[in-house]
Amino acid sequence: MPVMTLVADDIVARCRAALAEHTPALAVRDVLDELVNDPGALAGALGRVERGGITTLHNAADLTILHVAWTPGMALNPHEHRMWAVIGMYGGQEDNAFYRRVPGGLEPSGGRELPCGDVLVLGDDVVHAVANSRREFAVALHVYGGDFFSVERSEWEFDTYEERPRDFERTLRLFEEANARWSAQV
Ligand SMILES: [Fe+2]
């Protein structure tokens, strides 16, 4: 019997099927749990990572699936999603810092390191910042219960916790800067 090779379309189909379950975020978590158990198959389906960035695998009104590679040394400032999110790591490690909203800004509220093989479910009111403190790319599938690109939401400055509208172009510039720093080091 031929061995089935995982392709990106399978990932999308399995996450879309999970949306029909009673608790979609938890059903997506189960899908990602299985997928990150075989990092080699995911790497085969999604390609070798040579620079940090975000690749869209699927974008619909009810579901967005991103392939995210955090560049070594990169840190993304606090932000919210306003939809549930599930992160499945299959290489490197992503460090999450959590915050709660307080009048005039944010207050730190713990954190969680996500090593390869871990899956994290975030509720729709979560505010988090992410960092890759290791000297390898942190690669993951990020699945969101809505249209990640069109929902209005906030981000905050790292140092002042000043709130402003989410600026995706700024995020992309952070990737470019981090990629330039990293490629100068290796
Ligand atoms: Fe996020």
Side-chain angles (χ1 to χ4, degrees):
M1 224 171 94
V3 176
M4 297 295 286
T5 304
L6 182 73
V7 296
D9 283 352
D10 300 330
I11 298 167
V12 174
R14 290 174 68 177
C15 290
R16 286 225 60 94
L19 285 190
E21 299 289 330
H22 180 65
T23 315
L26 299 185
V28 166
R29 179 198 61 194
D30 292 345
V31 169
L32 293 196
D33 263 334
E34 275 186 36
L35 289 172
V36 300
N37 249 325
D38 191 350
L42 272 180
L46 300 170
R48 189 180 148 79
V49 170
E50 285 172 352
R51 51 188 284 116
I54 296 176
T55 307
T56 304
L57 302 181
H58 182 67
N59 185 218
D62 56 353
L63 186 73
T64 302
I65 305 174
L66 306 179
H67 177 245
V68 178
W70 301 113
T71 312
M74 185 170 177
L76 180 61
N77 52 297
H79 60 276
E80 60 177 0
H81 309 119
R82 297 199 190 177
M83 58 188 69
W84 57 257
V86 188
I87 300 170
M89 299 301 298
Y90 72 96
Q93 175 175 301
E94 177 184 302
D95 300 331
N96 274 259
F98 299 109
Y99 302 86
R100 67 173 72 90
R101 288 169 174 271
V102 292
L106 297 175
E107 190 174 83
S109 176
R112 180 164 157 198
E113 293 179 348
L114 270 192
C116 178
D118 262 23
V119 176
L120 176 67
V121 178
L122 303 173
D124 55 11
D125 59 349
V126 162
V127 177
H128 76 154
V130 293
N132 177 7
S133 57
R134 298 191 163 195
R135 291 183 60 81
E136 62 181 323
F137 287 98
V139 288
L141 287 170
H142 289 218
V143 182
Y144 301 88
D147 182 349
F148 178 83
F149 295 102
S150 69
V151 169
E152 282 187 22
R153 53 195 193 274
S154 289
E155 62 181 32
W156 290 262
E157 289 289 350
F158 256 126
D159 44 0
T160 62
Y161 295 146
E162 186 187 338
E163 185 172 358
R164 60 163 181 262
R166 182 89 160 106
D167 182 350
F168 193 63
E169 295 300 316
R170 190 172 188 267
T171 301
L172 296 180
R173 283 201 301 279
L174 288 176
F175 274 105
E176 282 180 17
E177 289 162 12
N179 284 331
R181 280 197 306 273
W182 178 242
S183 59
Q185 281 180 49
V186 290

